[in-house]
Amino acid sequence: MHHEVLDEKTAFHRTATLFEEAGLRPELIPTYADALLALRDTEIAARLREAGHAEAAALVQPDPDVIDAAWGEDH
């Protein structure tokens, strides 16, 4: 889910900028930014399911491989 074009208004760009400012190694930034946003999307999907919106939850539920790529299976 690497993002070649970074729109300054996207959550990915803002997250990547924060990781860069924090001194994260540049080659890790895309993976960690994707994983962080995937964790947030997982939380949003869970809230939607709890509220009875399973179809909407399925639309925002990220692929778990995005998270595993950054932190491994034991996140």
Side-chain angles (χ1 to χ4, degrees):
M1 184 186 262
H2 181 67
H3 303 267
E4 292 298 324
V5 178
L6 297 179
D7 181 346
E8 292 183 16
K9 297 177 182 175
T10 66
F12 179 86
H13 176 76
R14 292 177 183 177
T15 302
T17 298
L18 290 172
F19 280 142
E20 183 179 345
E21 290 172 357
L24 186 64
R25 292 191 332 227
E27 66 272 14
L28 296 177
I29 290 173
T31 300
Y32 276 48
D34 279 339
L36 180 64
L37 295 174
L39 287 171
R40 180 65 181 143
D41 288 348
T42 299
E43 292 174 6
I44 291 168
R47 289 180 184 161
L48 286 168
R49 275 190 290 281
E50 288 173 0
H53 303 290
E55 290 181 23
L59 293 174
V60 297
Q61 181 66 49
D63 181 346
D65 290 342
V66 172
I67 299 166
D68 291 344
W71 290 293
E73 295 178 18
D74 298 327
H75 50 84

